[in-house]
Amino acid sequence: ANPPAPAEKSISLETVRAVLAEKSLAGHTAEVRALLEKRGATKLSEVDPAEYPALLKEAETLGNG
């Protein structure tokens, strides 16, 4: 098992996609889409990788309150 990566490590497309897919399955599809649209994208592949950390952070809060 690998130790958890430090936060500064670049976040991969796969990581973000996994979290967004999980949130979509949990019933947050509209919110996930809104997060992408906020960044001028209609799908994850159009989002600037520099936005991944912030996007991931926002996605992780969906459904938590």
Side-chain angles (χ1 to χ4, degrees), residues 7-36:
E8 309 84 60
K9 183 112 171 61
S10 65
I11 295 169
S12 72
L13 174 72
E14 288 73 25
T15 302
V16 181
R17 179 175 283 140
V19 173
L20 295 183
E22 190 181 297
K23 293 300 180 179
S24 286
L25 288 171
H28 301 294
T29 311
E31 292 95 323
V32 167
R33 188 170 292 128
L35 290 179
L36 296 177

